[in-house]
Amino acid sequence: MIKAVLFDMDGVLVDTEWFYNRRRCAYLETKGYTFDEIPDLSGTNDVYIWEYFEPNDAERRAELKREYFATYMKEHPVPYDELKNPDARPVMEELKRRGVLCAIASSGQREMIEELVSAADLRDVLDATVSGHEVSAFKPDPAVYLRTMELLGVEPRECLVVEDSPLGIEAGLRSGARVLALKPREGVTLDQSQAHRVIDTLWDVIDEIDS
């Protein structure tokens, strides 16, 4: 019996990956970096991303990251109203009606999670939110999912994880939960072959529980 659904954020509840890719490169161009094309870092984590752009100079990498989060992101906020998944709230409402707990387990910063929760009006339908920055390791380590399950008081076998990226899918599998992969938007390619099931929309979560 499924008692909880744990949602990844980026790529599942909000279509932000393309925006993040472009915003990071626009920022780095102000710092002298040049790009023939914008690298697609969808589904990776914060540590990997900044090492990708500045692999050799740890001090420079830390300063770039600090300024990006402290200043540039605030000056160029995510247009959540445009990018949020319109199915998120109605699906969570239906889950709550059925007595199923709902949570967000994201590698994103706590601030970013809170922004999405407010913009998508999800606060009253969520039972927990956990950031990967609040646990011991990022995905594909299952720590963020295990911590969320602990907060909800549920066992892995009682949970569905909804992901999109290979790293997130691996984290969900390693947590012991059943993993659904939401198909990415057109033009984005992600290896979702390891998920138990690939779904077209968030409404398929309800069908999974009913099946």
Side-chain angles (χ1 to χ4, degrees):
M1 178 180 176
I2 297 300
K3 294 184 178 180
V5 180
L6 283 54
F7 295 89
D8 176 44
M9 185 174 77
D10 296 306
V12 173
L13 299 179
V14 60
D15 188 16
T16 46
E17 297 288 11
W18 68 270
F19 177 83
Y20 291 155
N21 288 330
R22 286 158 178 76
R23 182 172 64 178
R24 277 189 296 264
C25 287
Y27 164 69
L28 289 167
E29 284 174 344
T30 71
K31 300 299 181 182
Y33 292 76
T34 58
F35 304 93
D36 294 328
E37 61 182 26
I38 296 173
D40 185 2
L41 300 176
S42 303
T44 59
N45 60 50
D46 198 50
V47 173
Y48 175 88
I49 287 167
W50 292 98
E51 288 182 349
Y52 173 90
F53 287 118
E54 184 51 72
N56 300 317
D57 188 337
E59 185 175 343
R60 171 68 168 160
R61 182 166 63 243
E63 176 59 24
L64 287 170
K65 180 178 176 181
R66 185 202 64 76
E67 185 175 331
Y68 179 70
F69 282 104
T71 304
Y72 196 86
M73 280 177 50
K74 291 180 172 59
E75 294 173 349
H76 302 82
V78 177
Y80 285 110
D81 283 340
E82 300 173 23
L83 302 179
K84 64 186 179 184
N85 189 327
D87 293 335
R89 180 173 177 88
V91 167
M92 290 184 188
E93 286 178 334
E94 177 61 19
L95 290 169
K96 297 294 287 182
R97 189 184 71 79
R98 294 165 177 243
V100 178
L101 301 171
C102 297
I104 294 175
S106 170
S107 292
Q109 300 268 356
R110 164 60 60 182
E111 179 180 348
M112 297 164 70
I113 295 173
E114 293 301 320
E115 287 178 0
L116 181 276
V117 169
S118 295
D121 190 25
L122 300 178
R123 198 166 304 280
D124 64 320
V125 290
L126 286 167
D127 297 285
T129 59
V130 180
S131 164
H133 293 262
E134 299 165 350
V135 295
S136 58
F138 288 110
K139 299 172 185 177
D141 191 285
V144 69
Y145 282 120
L146 294 174
R147 174 57 178 157
T148 307
M149 293 172 192
E150 180 183 10
L151 289 174
L152 296 176
V154 293
E155 298 296 324
R157 58 184 172 80
E158 299 172 322
C159 297
L160 286 180
V161 161
V162 186
E163 271 285 353
D164 66 319
S165 71
L167 292 181
I169 291 167
E170 181 181 343
L173 293 172
R174 289 172 61 185
S175 78
R178 179 168 175 81
V179 179
L180 308 182
L182 180 64
K183 282 184 181 178
R185 69 180 181 89
E186 187 175 352
V188 175
T189 301
L190 294 170
D191 181 3
Q192 299 181 324
S193 60
Q194 296 305 306
H196 290 107
R197 178 185 172 190
V198 177
I199 59 176
D200 294 314
T201 76
L202 291 182
W203 285 105
D204 291 328
V205 173
I206 305 298
D207 294 337
E208 180 72 19
I209 291 174
D210 287 342
S211 62

